[in-house]
C-alpha cells in the first residue's frame, strides 16, 4: 500500500486504519533507550561464560585456579558447583505422552553436547576482567563422536547424543486425518491415485539473529530478585524461572525494557538467565551478562532444521487426492521451551489452502550435537508452507499443468468459508482468487511470462522464472483449550487493563510484550476509538511483571488478535462503568444515554452531556457517584480466543538466474496479503517488509552450517549472511481485507506472513527459470555455487563448500582430530 | 593507561583509557553514551556507527586512543543544538517513513545515512542501498529506511519532491 497523507491532516473520525507515526520512535531515534546492557547498578558484577569448543565430549577435569587468581576476578564457577541448584531448562511442550526429555542443564556438569555449551562462568568486577579470565580456564575433554546428520542419527547403530537414552529419537508425533475423522484413509488415497509425486526437501537451520544481543541483569534485594532481560516473554520467564530456581514467584520480578528484536529467538528461558539468577542469589550482588554476537550465533537457539519427505497424490486432471508428510526434525542437543512443539505446530498447516481429502503427518524429533532449535518467525508454519508450495509446483510439472491453474483447481473457494480442512482447522475467511488477481497485476505477470518465453527461445544466459506461493497461516496463538489438547503447558489468553487517571489521561496495561512491533501506537489507536479520547492521551505500559502482572507475551502473530482484543474488552468495561456514573451525574436513565466521541449525551436533550475524561475526575474526587458502585471506572479483561485466525495471501517472485555464474537476483517481488482489519497500515506494511526479508534470506542467503566435527562455521556475521539493503529488492505490497470473525477488531495477525509466504515463492521462481535445463530442486540457500552446480552438474546443488570442513582451514580441528567419522566428513550440514 | 582528550557531542572529556579500549566501549561505559550500541564483534552490523571528525566510522573498529584530539558525534548529539525536542532531518524522516521497528540498528543507521547524504546529497535508490550496506537491520527489510533517506535528502536539499509520498 502507499501511505499518501499524514494522519494529523485528516482529523480522523476513527483512529483504526490511520497510518499513525509510532509513539515508540521518539526514544529510539534519539538514542534515549533502555536496552538491558545499558543498565549499571552499584556494585554490579559481570559474568563471562566459558563455552565448549567441542560438540560432544565428557568433561574429565576443569582447572579454574589461574582464572581465580586473575586481576579483578571475584569468583569462577563450574557446572559441578551449580549442579545441585540449577535444575533443568523447562520444556513446556511435551508433544507426546512418551516424549523423551533428557533434561537440559544450564551449565554442563559431566558432558557437553554442543559447541557453545556453557562449562564455566567467570565473575569479574568488570566485563573486561571476566572476559580476559575466560582464556585462563582449562577444561579437559574426552571426545565422543558427534551426531550431526538427521538421517544418520535415526539409522540403526547410530552414535547417541545422550548415551543414557535408547536412541536419538525424542518423540514420534502422528496426525492422521483418517483416524481423526477429518479425512479419508491416506494409504487408500495413494493406492488409488493416478499420479504420485514424492520429494525430499530440506529446511536448513537458521539463526534468528535479532540485532540486540541477549543481555540479562539480576538485582537481589533481600529475598527479592529483579531480572531485566532482553526477552520477548517476561511473564513466561518469571513463572519458569521461579519453578527452575525455587525462588518463589512472588519474590521475582521480570522486566523486559527496550528489546531489540526477537523473531522467536527471545521466546525462551535461556540458560544464561537462570545462571544470572543463581549467581546473584549466591553472591548477593547485582550481576550482568551480555553476549557477544559470536556467542549469540553459537548458543542462542536456532530455528527450522528439518528433512521433509512429502508425497502428493492426484488424478490426471490435477485434482489432489492425498498428502503424506514424514519429517525428521532437528531438536539439537536438548529440548528448550517449545523445541518439540515447533514441528507439531506445523503439522496442521501442510495442507495449506488446498482441499486434500486425505492427509497423514508423521514427525520424529531427533537429537543432534548442535545447539537446540526452537521458535523462529513462523515456527513450524514456514516449513509446512514451503513443503506444500514446492510440491504443488512439482505436481504441476508432472501433470504438465500451469502451477497457478493447479492451485486454483484445488484451493478453497471464497464462498466455502468457513472451511474445515483435512487437518481439522476451521479457516475463518478470505478470498484466494481475489488476492491472486491483485498480485498478478502488481507483478505485471503477463509481460514477464512473455519475456521469459523470449529468453528461453533465444537461449539467453540470463533466464527468468516466476514463482508462486498461495498461502495461509495459523495466527492469533491461541485458544487455550486447543493448546491443552496439543499438550502445551500453558494457555493462549491475553490480559489488559485500563486505568482512567484523574486528569482524564489513560493508562493501558497490556500483557503482550513488544520488541519492535509498535504496540504502544496501535493499542493507543484502539483505545482512542473505544473511549473517544485523543490518541495522545493514551499511554501503553508493558513488559514489567510488576506493572503488567498478567500476560502471555508476544509471539505467533498473537499480539493484536489476542492482546488487542483484551484491550478492546477492557475499554468496553470502562465505558459500561462510566455509563452508570454518567447517568447519575446527568440525572438520566442509563438507557437514555448515547456514548459517542468520548461523551455520554442524553438522547433528545441537547447540551446534557458529560465526557468520559470528566467522569474519571469525578470518580477520583468521589464526591458524587451512584450508591451501588465503587468509585472507579478502571477495568481489566482477559481474552481467550475460540479459534485461530487465518491470514492468507499470494506472493509472486520474478527471478533472474545467470546460468553462467549461478547468480540469482530477484527482479520483482509482489505480494497481496489479507490480514483482516488493518489498525495501522504503516505498521502492517513494515511487518510484511521485515517478514519478506527474512523469508527471502532463508531462500537465498542464510544457513547455520556445521562442519564434520560439529563446529558452527557460520559463527559470525562475516559467515552468517543476514542480508543488507543491497541484497534485497523493492517489495510491491498490497492488501485485501476479509475481516476475521473471531475477534471484535477483525484482525488476523501479520507478524509472520511475509516470512512464511516468501521462501517457496523465491525457490519456485529460481526453479521455474532453470527447470528446462533439467533442474528440479536446489538446496537452500540458493548460493551461486549451488545454482551453478545444479545447472551444470545436475542434482540439487549439494552441500556448500564449507559444509564438511572447518571454516578456518583443514578438514579437522586439532582438538577433535581422530573423532570424525568417515560419513560425517562427507558433509555435515544437514 | 593512556590519557586522551575528546570532544563528544559538544562536550570535552579528558580520560585515561586502556590502549585496547574500543571507542564504542569508551562511549558506553566511561561516558554513559549508551545511545550508541554494540550489535556484533566483527564490524559487520554497523549498529555502533558514530561520526569521527565528521566521517562515519564503526566505533567498534576504532580504538578510543585513536579518537584523541578528535570530535565525536553520536546519535545523542545530532539534533539541532539548543532546541529541546528538535530532530535532525534524518531522524525526522526515519520517524515519518517508519524506517525503524525495534530501533536497535537505528542509531547506526541514522549516522551512516547522514554521512551518505553528506557525500551524495541526492542519491538514487541503488546508491542508498549500497551506501548503507555496512549497516544491518533485521526488522524493516530496508524499504522504509530507503524511503526515509530519500525523504531526508529531499528535505535537506530544500526540495520536498518526495514529500509524504513514497
Amino acid at each position: 500500500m502507499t501511505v499518501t497523507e499524514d494522519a494529523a491532516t485528516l482529523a480522523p473520525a476513527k483512529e483504526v486504519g490511520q497510518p499513525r507515526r509510532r509513539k515508540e520512535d521518539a526514544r529510539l531515534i534519539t538514542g534515549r533507550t533502555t536496552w538491558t546492557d545499558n543498565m549499571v547498578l552499584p556494585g554490579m558484577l559481570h559474568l563471562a561464560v566459558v563455552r565448549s569448543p567441542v560438540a560432544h565430549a565428557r568433561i574429565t577435569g576443569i582447572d579454574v585456579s589461574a582464572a581465580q587468581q586473575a586481576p579483578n576476578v571475584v569468583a569462577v564457577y563450574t557446572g559441578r558447583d551449580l549442579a545441585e541448584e540449577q535444575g533443568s531448562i523447562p520444556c513446556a511442550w511435551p508433544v507426546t505422552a512418551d516424549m523423551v526429555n533428557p533434561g537440559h542443564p544450564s551449565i554442563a556438569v559431566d558432558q557437553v553436547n554442543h559447541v557453545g555449551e556453557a562449562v564455566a562462568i567467570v565473575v569479574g568486577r568488570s566485563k573486561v576482567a571476566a572476559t580476559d579470565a575466560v582464556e585462563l580456564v582449562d577444561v579437559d575433554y574426552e571426545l565422543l563422536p558427534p551426531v550431526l546428520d538427521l538421517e544418520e542419527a535415526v539409522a540403526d547403530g547410530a552414535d547417541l547424543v545422550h548415551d543414557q537414552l535408547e536412541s536419538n529419537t525424542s518423540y514420534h508425533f502422528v496426525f492422521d486425518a483418517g483416524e481423526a475423522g477429518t479425512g479419508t484413509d491416506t494409504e487408500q488415497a495413494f493406492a488409488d491415485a493416478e499420479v504420485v509425486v514424492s520429494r525430499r526437501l530440506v529446511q536448513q537451520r537458521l539463526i534468528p539473529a535479532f540485532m540486540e544481543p541477549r543481555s540479562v541483569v539480576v538485582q537481589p534485594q533481600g529475598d527479592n530478585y529483579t531480572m531485566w532481560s532482553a526477552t520477548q516473554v517476561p511473564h513466561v520467564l518469571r513463572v519458569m524461572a521461579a519453578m527452575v530456581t525455587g525462588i518463589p514467584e512472588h519474590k521475582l520480578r521480570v522486566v523486559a525494557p527496550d528489546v531489540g528484536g526477537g523473531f522467536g529467538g527471545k521466546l525462551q528461558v535461556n540458560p544464561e538467565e537462570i545462571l544470572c539468577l543463581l549467581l546473584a542469589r549466591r553472591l548477593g550482588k547485582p550481576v550482568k551478562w551480555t553476549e557477544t554476537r559470536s556467542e549469540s550465533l553459537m548458543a542462542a537457539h536456532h530455528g527450522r532444521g528439518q528433512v521433509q519427505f512429502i508425497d502428493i497424490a492426484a488424478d490426471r486432471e490435477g485434482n489432489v487426492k492425498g498428502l503424506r508428510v514424514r519429517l525428521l526434525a532437528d531438536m539439537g542437543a536438548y529440548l528448550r521451551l517449545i523445541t518439540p512443539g515447533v514441528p507439531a505446530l506445523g503439522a496442521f498447516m501442510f495442507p495449506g489452502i488446498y482441499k486434500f481429502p486425505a492427509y497423514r503427518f508423521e514427525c520424529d524429533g531427533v537429537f543432534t550435537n548442535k545447539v537446540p532449535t526452537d521458535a523462529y518467525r513462523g515456527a513450524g508454519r514456514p516449513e509446512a508452507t514451503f513443503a506444500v508450495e514446492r510440491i504443488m509446483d512439482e505436481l504441476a510439472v508432472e501433470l504438465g499443468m500451469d502451477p497457478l491453474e493447479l492451485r486454483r483447481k484445488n484451493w478453497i473457494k471464497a464462498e466455502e468459508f468457513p472451511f474445515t480442512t483435512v487437518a481439522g482447522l476451521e479457516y475463518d475467511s478470505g478470498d484466494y482468487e481475489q488476492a491472486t488477481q491483485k498480485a498478478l497485476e502488481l507483478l505485471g505477470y503477463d509481460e514477464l511470462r512473455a519475456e521469459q518465453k523470449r529468453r528461453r527461445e533465444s537461449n539467453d544466459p540470463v533466464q527468468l522464472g516466476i514463482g508462486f506461493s498461495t498461502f495461509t497461516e495459523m495466527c492469533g496463538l491461541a485458544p487455550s483449550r486447543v493448546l491443552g489438547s496439543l499438550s502445551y503447558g500453558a494457555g493462549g489468553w491475553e490480559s489488559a487493563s485500563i486505568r482512567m487517571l484523574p486528569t482524564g489521561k489513560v493508562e493501558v496495561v497490556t500483557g503482550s510484550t513488544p520488541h519492535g512491533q509498535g504496540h504502544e501506537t496501535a493499542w493507543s489507536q484502539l483505545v482512542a476509538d473505544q473511549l473517544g479520547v485523543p490518541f495522545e492521551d493514551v499511554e501503553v505500559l508493558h513488559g514489567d511483571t510488576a506493572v503488567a502482572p498478567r500476560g502471555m507475551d508476544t509471539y505467533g502473530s498473537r499480539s493484536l488478535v489476542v492482546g488487542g482484543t483484551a484491550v478492546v474488552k477492557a475499554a468496553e468495561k470502562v465505558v459500561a462503568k462510566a455509563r452508570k456514573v454518567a447517568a447519575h451525574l446527568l440525572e438520566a436513565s442509563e438507557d437514555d444515554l448515547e456514548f459517542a466521541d468520548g461523551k455520554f449525551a442524553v438522547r433528545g436533550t441537547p447540551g446534557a452531556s458529560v465526557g468520559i475524561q470528566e467522569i474519571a475526575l469525578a470518580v477520583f474526587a468521589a464526591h458524587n457517584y451512584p450508591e451501588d458502585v465503587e468509585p472507579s471506572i478502571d477495568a481489566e479483561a482477559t481474552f481467550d480466543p475460540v479459534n485461530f485466525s487465518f491470514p492468507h495471501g499470494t506472493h509472486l517472485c520474478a527471478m533472474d538466474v545467470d546460468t553462467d555464474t549461478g547468480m540469482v537476483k530477484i527482479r520483482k517481488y509482489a505480494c497481496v496479503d489479507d490480514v483482516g482489519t488493518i489498525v495501522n497500515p504503516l505498521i502492517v506494511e513494515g511487518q510484511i517488509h521485515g517478514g519478506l526479508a527474512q523469508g527471502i534470506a532463508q531462500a537465498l542467503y542464510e544457513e547455520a552450517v556445521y562442519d564434520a566435527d560439529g563446529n558452527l562455521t557460520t559463527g559470525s556475521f562475516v559467515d552468517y549472511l543476514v542480508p543488507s539493503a543491497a541484497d534485497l529488492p523493492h517489495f510491491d505490497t498490497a492488501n485485501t481485507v476479509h475481516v476475521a470473525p473471531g475477534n471484535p477488531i477483525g484482525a488476523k495477525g501479520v507478524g509472520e506472513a511475509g516470512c512464511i509466504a516468501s521462501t517457496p515463492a523465491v525457490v519456485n521462481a529460481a526453479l521455474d527459470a532453470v527447470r528446462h535445463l533439467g533442474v528440479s530442486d536446489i538446496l537452500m540457500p540458493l548460493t551461486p555455487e549451488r545454482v551453478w552446480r545444479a545447472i551444470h552438474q545436475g542434482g540439487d546443488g549439494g552441500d556448500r563448500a564449507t559444509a564438511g570442513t572447518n571454516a578456518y582451514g583443514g578438514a579437522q580441528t586439532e582438538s577433535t582430530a581422530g573423532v570424525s567419522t568417515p560419513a560425517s566428513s562427507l558433509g555435515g550440514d544437514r | 593507561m593512556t590519557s586522551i582528550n575528546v570532544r563528544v557531542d559538544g562536550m570535552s572529556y579528558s580520560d585515561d583509557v586502556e590502549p585496547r579500549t574500543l571507542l564504542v566501549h569508551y562511549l558506553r561505559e566511561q561516558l554513559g553514551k549508551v545511545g550508541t550500541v554494540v550489535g556484533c564483534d566483527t564490524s559487520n552490523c554497523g549498529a555502533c556507527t558514530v561520526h569521527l571528525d565528521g566521517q562515519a566510522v564503526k566505533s567498534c573498529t576504532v580504538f578510543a586512543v585513536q579518537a584523541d584530539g578528535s570530535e565525536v558525534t553520536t546519535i545523542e548529539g545530532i539534533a539541532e543544538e539548543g532546541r529541546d525536542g528538535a530532530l535532525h532531518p534524518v531522524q525526522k524522516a526515519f520517524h515519518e517513513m517508519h524506517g525503524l521497528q525495534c530501533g536497535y540498528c537505528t542509531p547506526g543507521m541514522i549516522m551512516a545515512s547522514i554521512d551518505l547524504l553528506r557525500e551524495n546529497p541526492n542519491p538514487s535508490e541503488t546508491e542508498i542501498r549500497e551506501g548503507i550496506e555496512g549497516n544491518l537491520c533485521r526488522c524493516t527489510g530496508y524499504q522504509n529506511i530507503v524511503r526515509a533517506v530519500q525523504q531526508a535528502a529531499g528535505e535537506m536539499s530544500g526540495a520536498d519532491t518526495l514529500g509524504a509520498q513514497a
Side-chain angles (χ1 to χ4, degrees), chain A residues 449-693:
Chain A
R449 275 287 186 225
E451 182 187 334
Q452 178 185 40
K453 190 157 173 281
R454 290 195 298 274
R455 285 180 183 273
R456 205 164 281 185
E457 282 165 1
S458 67
N459 205 21
D460 195 297
V462 177
Q463 290 291 315
L464 176 65
I466 299 172
F468 293 92
S469 173
T470 52
F471 85 108
T472 187
E473 55 156 332
M474 178 171 71
C475 282
L477 271 54
S480 297
R481 289 184 187 87
V482 175
L483 290 179
S485 72
L486 293 171
S487 309
Y488 183 62
W493 48 264
E494 195 48 87
S495 164
S497 61
I498 294 179
R499 302 198 286 252
M500 300 298 294
L501 304 180
T503 56
K505 308 296 182 190
V506 184
E507 281 180 339
V508 177
V509 178
T510 177
S512 172
T513 302
H515 37 282
Q517 295 87 349
H519 292 26
E520 293 169 29
T521 304
W523 280 210
S524 295
Q525 291 178 270
L526 292 174
V527 170
D529 276 357
Q530 291 294 321
L531 299 183
V533 300
F535 172 79
E536 294 76 13
D537 283 0
V538 183
E539 186 74 11
V540 178
L541 307 173
H542 55 75
D544 179 342
T545 60
V547 171
R550 280 166 51 78
M552 280 293 180
D553 306 314
T554 289
Y555 46 84
S557 305
R558 70 186 304 273
S559 289
L560 182 61
V561 177
V562 189
T565 298
V567 169
V568 168
K569 300 245 174 214
E572 287 170 354
K573 289 185 185 178
V574 169
V575 173
K577 289 173 89 170
R579 181 180 294 274
K580 288 189 190 301
V581 181
H584 177 81
L585 294 175
L586 295 169
E587 297 177 349
S589 158
E590 275 185 60
D591 298 336
D592 292 337
L593 295 183
E594 275 175 349
F595 182 66
D597 300 329
K599 281 192 165 60
F600 291 95
V602 183
R603 207 174 280 117
T605 312
S609 74
V610 61
I612 196 162
Q613 291 176 295
E614 297 168 64
I615 294 171
L617 181 61
V619 295
F620 170 73
H623 299 159
N624 183 16
Y625 64 99
E627 292 290 340
D628 55 343
V629 302
E630 60 185 6
S632 165
I633 57 171
D634 296 355
E636 66 177 71
T638 301
F639 177 64
D640 191 9
V642 293
N643 189 10
F644 298 97
S645 52
F646 295 89
H648 73 83
T650 296
H651 286 229
L652 301 176
C653 177
M655 174 89 92
D656 287 327
V657 180
D658 187 326
T659 58
D660 287 341
T661 64
M663 188 71 188
V664 296
K665 191 169 171 49
I666 292 176
R667 169 90 69 87
K668 195 161 189 198
Y669 196 98
C671 61
V672 176
D673 284 277
D674 195 318
V675 300
T677 303
I678 292 172
V679 171
N680 184 321
L682 210 57
I683 291 176
V684 163
E685 191 191 18
Q687 285 291 322
I688 292 290
H689 289 170
L692 291 176

Side-chain angles (χ1 to χ4, degrees), chain A residues 47 62 65 92 98 113 120 162 165-166 206 263 320 322-323 377 432 434 464 478 489 626 639 651 675 747 814:
Chain A
L47 309 187
I62 305 183
S65 54
D98 58 353
N113 289 306
H162 300 282
L165 304 183
E166 288 173 10
L206 299 177
F263 316 109
V320 296
L323 186 70
R377 203 168 193 168
Y432 305 143
Q434 186 191 15
L464 176 65
F639 177 64
H651 286 229
V675 300
E814 192 189 338

Side-chain angles (χ1 to χ4, degrees), chain A residues 1-4 6 21-22 25 28-33 35 37-38 128 132 207-213 259-261 263 292-294 376 515-516 682-683 685-687 689-690 693-694 697 702 716-718 720 722-726 728-731, chain B residues 18 20 25 28-29 34-42 44-45 47 75-78 87 91-92 94-98 100-107 110 125 128-130 132-144 146-147 164-166:
Chain A
M1 81 210 56
T2 301
V3 177
T4 51
D6 189 67
R21 273 52 174 178
R22 297 196 320 168
D25 292 355
L28 298 170
I29 57 177
T30 53
R32 270 71 175 177
T33 38
W35 314 114
D37 186 58
N38 293 0
V128 169
D132 284 351
I207 305 181
F210 34 77
M211 288 311 299
E212 181 206 14
V259 176
F263 316 109
T292 66
R293 178 58 59 183
S294 306
Y376 172 52
H515 37 282
L682 210 57
I683 291 176
E685 191 191 18
Q687 285 291 322
H689 289 170
Q694 290 182 13
E702 295 182 20
S716 78
F717 276 166
V718 177
Y720 190 81
V722 171
S724 77
L728 291 169
H730 178 87
F731 311 121
Chain B
E18 277 194 74
R20 65 171 173 168
H25 291 143
R28 286 181 59 80
E29 289 160 27
V34 291
T36 302
V37 297
V38 180
C40 73
D41 40 22
T42 47
N44 286 88
C45 81
I75 188 69
E76 298 173 49
I78 55 170
L87 296 175
Q91 288 174 310
K92 211 163 76 184
F94 269 66
H95 175 58
E96 280 297 317
M97 294 289 115
H98 188 33
L100 65 149
Q101 289 178 30
C102 84
Y104 197 77
C105 76
T106 307
I110 288 175
E125 176 177 343
I128 295 170
R129 286 182 180 272
E130 288 174 356
I132 58 169
E133 73 176 338
N135 290 69
L136 298 178
C137 169
R138 193 57 158 169
C139 293
T140 65
Y142 302 103
Q143 189 151 317
N144 288 345
V146 172
R147 286 174 174 164
Q165 193 269 320

Side-chain angles (χ1 to χ4, degrees), chain A residues 259-475:
Chain A
V259 176
F263 316 109
K266 290 173 180 169
L267 165 51
Q268 193 54 272
V269 177
N270 284 291
E272 296 85 356
E273 287 164 332
I274 299 301
L275 293 170
C276 283
L277 202 47
L278 296 179
L279 293 188
R281 179 166 68 182
R282 190 175 277 224
L283 295 159
K285 291 260 201 181
V287 300
K288 182 201 271 189
W289 169 80
T290 300
E291 69 184 351
T292 66
R293 178 58 59 183
S294 306
E295 276 185 291
S296 189
L297 296 174
M298 188 164 59
H301 73 245
H302 291 179
R304 317 282 191 263
Q306 292 183 357
V307 178
Q308 309 175 319
F309 301 92
I310 181 164
D311 311 316
I312 191 168
D315 64 21
R316 282 271 156 218
E317 287 68 51
N319 298 298
V320 296
K321 297 294 183 187
L323 186 70
R324 198 163 49 193
V325 176
R326 189 167 71 85
L327 296 187
L328 296 177
D330 191 352
M331 304 287 98
Y334 302 107
L335 304 180
R336 285 193 185 167
L337 191 61
I338 58 166
T339 301
V342 170
L345 196 58
F348 303 92
M349 295 313 295
F350 279 86
I353 64 170
Y354 310 110
K355 294 184 277 187
F356 287 98
Y359 173 54
R360 180 177 171 83
F361 172 92
E362 288 179 69
C363 173
D364 284 312
V366 181
F367 292 116
T368 57
N369 288 112
K370 300 179 183 177
V371 76
T373 60
D374 208 302
Y376 172 52
R377 203 168 193 168
R381 292 156 290 160
E383 296 91 319
T385 302
F386 178 78
V388 70
E389 289 304 299
R390 282 284 297 108
I391 202 74
M392 288 301 280
D393 264 29
E394 296 302 308
L395 178 62
V397 170
E398 179 69 27
L399 295 170
M401 278 181 79
D402 179 276
L404 180 55
E405 283 316 304
L406 178 67
R407 284 170 167 81
R408 189 173 269 137
K409 200 179 212 6
N410 289 290
W411 71 37
I412 299 156
K413 306 280 184 289
E415 61 274 18
E416 293 175 312
F417 287 97
F419 183 91
T420 302
T421 75
V422 71
L425 296 173
E426 189 188 282
Y427 288 3
D428 52 1
S429 65
D431 186 337
Y432 305 143
E433 182 65 47
Q434 186 191 15
T436 301
Q437 282 304 332
K438 207 165 168 176
L440 291 170
E441 287 162 25
L442 209 53
L443 187 77
Y445 181 72
D446 294 338
E447 168 51 30
L448 286 165
R449 275 287 186 225
E451 182 187 334
Q452 178 185 40
K453 190 157 173 281
R454 290 195 298 274
R455 285 180 183 273
R456 205 164 281 185
E457 282 165 1
S458 67
N459 205 21
D460 195 297
V462 177
Q463 290 291 315
L464 176 65
I466 299 172
F468 293 92
S469 173
T470 52
F471 85 108
T472 187
E473 55 156 332
M474 178 171 71
C475 282

Side-chain angles (χ1 to χ4, degrees), chain A residues 49-54 56-67 76-80 107-112 117-122 133-143 815:
Chain A
V49 181
V50 182
R51 295 185 182 277
S52 172
V54 294
H56 199 197
R58 282 193 190 86
I59 300 169
T60 53
I62 305 183
D63 181 357
V64 300
S65 54
V76 184
Y77 297 99
T78 67
R80 183 67 59 203
I107 180 167
V109 179
D110 301 312
Q111 183 168 318
V112 290
E117 188 167 356
V119 292
I121 308 170
V122 180
V134 163
E135 303 295 326
L136 302 173
V137 175
D138 191 14
V139 187
D140 291 325
Y141 296 101
E142 181 188 316
L143 297 175
S815 64

